[in-house]
Amino acid sequence: MKHLLVLVFLFLFLMWGPVAAQDIPPRQQFPVSTWNQIAPGGATTCGHGAPYSFYYREGPGEDLLIDFQGGGMCWNAQTCNISTTTFDDSINPGDPSDNPDLFPVGITNVYTEDNPFVNYDMVYVNYCTGDLHTGNTVVGYDYGGNWFETRHLGSVNATAVLNWVYNNFPDPDSVFVTGCSAGAVGAAYWANDIMQHYPNERVALLGDSGGGWRGGLGPTWNLWGTNYYGLTGDALSIEKFYITAAQNFPNNRVAEYNTAWDETQSFFHDVGFSAVEYEDALRLNLRDINNSVLNFRSYTQGGNLHCILPRTEFYDYATNQVRFRDWIADLAAGRRLNNIACTDCSKPELLFGK
């Protein structure tokens, strides 16, 4: 019976397919200069069946920010069960991590001119499937004798959001794709698709605090169907997402931000997700990407902070007297950019040595 339920759900998913952009109201029907919650419906879903939604805010300019939400992940019965704390399985408009209107800091702080994205149209791709925005399967788990299923359908949700984006933003001046933690991986995975859709626009990618997991990802959730631009199974890895986008679009810039001792990324090695300790994984991943492409840049901060984009530190942190806020502004604007790495990596450097 349990297997039958999974087959029924998959049959309905195949019948529905990714929700089409025309099923969602166009951006003109929503208030301007406010965050708007949009429920695409269709086959979109959160991990344990809660409804899926995302947010967008119309800015005064013609540039577009696509921000993939972070929020952990799960990969077995222990981490995916309904009482888990390793990922959030629903979207709550009263939760500041889900609703950017409640937490205007970092890149979503639209009340300061110091924000390089203050004039951008902003799309916030919410996350609740435990699969780094990329899963395409429903998995049944047995946890302590209790059977349940988790809908690792992040790719269905992201497809619905991006279909709406493509329909409503046909010709932006530029596009900046980003996300922190799990959102960094989602941003890197979907960047190639976004760059394909906007071949005549400048598109930049920044992954925030997602570069320190190493190893094949394909078997984890039967991710990404069966093929990612010719790669399958164990050949799928996070660094390959950056390499693929950078190789296919050499005029665009691809980048990462990480801290030297990121405590959250280290945790996922400790619980068995990454085969290599964080510090070694980060070094090896950056090496592999740099050796494969010329249009990749990285910024490595001292300390152990996880994620900088949704924090006040976005405006305060510097490395070797290069302010991160200024570095990312140059990245978004297509200006010349160097790799930045901490010298004393034991702690972060504050702006102007403060």
Side-chain angles (χ1 to χ4, degrees):
M1 182 65 179
K2 299 168 184 176
H3 299 296
L4 177 61
L5 290 173
V6 174
L7 290 173
V8 168
F9 184 87
L10 288 174
F11 171 77
L12 292 174
F13 166 68
L14 293 172
M15 291 290 291
W16 290 333
V19 66
Q22 61 265 26
D23 295 333
I24 313 172
R27 65 194 261 211
Q28 292 84 356
Q29 293 188 16
F30 296 97
V32 176
S33 298
T34 61
W35 283 102
N36 302 278
Q37 186 180 19
I38 301 174
T44 63
T45 181
C46 287
H48 294 132
Y52 179 75
S53 60
F54 68 97
Y55 283 83
Y56 106 94
R57 182 185 187 277
E58 185 81 13
E62 297 299 326
D63 298 288
L64 174 63
L65 172 71
I66 304 175
D67 184 10
F68 287 79
Q69 183 187 15
M73 57 184 166
C74 77
W75 58 95
N76 55 27
Q78 182 176 2
T79 56
C80 290
N81 74 86
I82 294 175
S83 62
T84 184
T85 59
T86 61
F87 86 105
D88 190 348
D89 68 351
S90 63
I91 297 168
N92 179 1
D95 184 342
S97 65
D98 289 334
N99 182 354
D101 190 37
L102 301 179
F103 197 56
V105 297
I107 63 170
T108 59
N109 184 352
V110 295
Y111 305 106
T112 174
E113 290 298 321
D114 200 23
N115 183 356
F117 304 102
V118 68
N119 292 320
Y120 279 55
D121 299 317
M122 298 181 176
V123 176
Y124 190 65
V125 187
N126 288 83
Y127 172 60
C128 57
T129 49
D131 57 10
L132 312 177
H133 293 274
T134 60
N136 193 20
T137 189
V138 179
V139 179
Y141 296 103
D142 187 310
Y143 184 64
N146 296 316
W147 187 90
F148 67 96
E149 62 182 33
T150 298
R151 302 174 183 183
H152 298 296
L153 295 173
S155 67
V156 176
N157 298 342
T159 297
V161 177
L162 291 177
N163 282 346
W164 184 85
V165 168
Y166 298 156
N167 189 60
N168 284 275
F169 299 91
D171 189 28
D173 287 348
S174 70
V175 182
F176 195 85
V177 184
T178 194
C180 81
S181 195
V185 182
Y189 170 76
W190 288 103
N192 195 87
D193 185 84
I194 295 167
M195 291 178 184
Q196 281 183 332
H197 191 82
Y198 294 112
N200 300 317
E201 284 77 30
R202 183 180 69 252
V203 183
L205 162 68
L206 175 81
D208 172 12
S209 302
W213 299 310
R214 188 168 177 85
L217 294 175
T220 309
W221 308 278
N222 187 28
L223 296 186
W224 317 298
T226 58
N227 188 295
Y228 173 82
Y229 302 100
L231 301 174
T232 59
D234 287 335
L236 286 170
S237 62
I238 292 170
E239 61 270 22
K240 293 292 179 61
F241 301 153
Y242 291 93
I243 292 170
T244 299
Q247 287 179 336
N248 289 343
F249 299 92
N251 292 325
N252 288 333
R253 192 66 57 78
V254 172
E256 280 193 43
Y257 170 92
N258 293 278
T259 53
W261 304 99
D262 187 315
E263 57 186 358
T264 299
Q265 292 192 71
S266 297
F267 163 79
F268 282 101
H269 162 71
D270 295 341
V271 297
F273 184 79
S274 176
V276 181
E277 289 190 11
Y278 168 71
E279 296 80 11
D280 291 331
L282 178 61
R283 175 180 55 82
L284 294 170
N285 288 344
L286 295 180
R287 179 205 65 185
D288 289 351
I289 302 171
N290 275 303
N291 287 345
S292 300
V293 296
L294 298 175
N295 52 330
F296 175 76
R297 298 293 183 270
S298 61
Y299 189 115
T300 304
Q301 179 85 45
N304 62 4
L305 186 71
H306 183 64
C307 291
I308 193 170
L309 296 178
R311 296 180 183 271
T312 58
E313 287 87 349
F314 175 78
Y315 300 98
D316 298 331
Y317 273 15
T319 297
N320 300 332
Q321 291 295 300
V322 177
R323 185 186 183 196
F324 178 67
R325 177 263 173 226
D326 298 338
W327 189 85
I328 197 175
D330 288 341
L331 173 67
R335 293 189 285 265
R336 181 178 176 84
L337 204 65
N338 295 320
N339 291 326
I340 302 296
C342 54
T343 303
D344 176 7
C345 295
S346 62
K347 60 182 180 180
E349 175 187 331
L350 295 179
L351 179 63
F352 306 129
K354 292 191 296 183

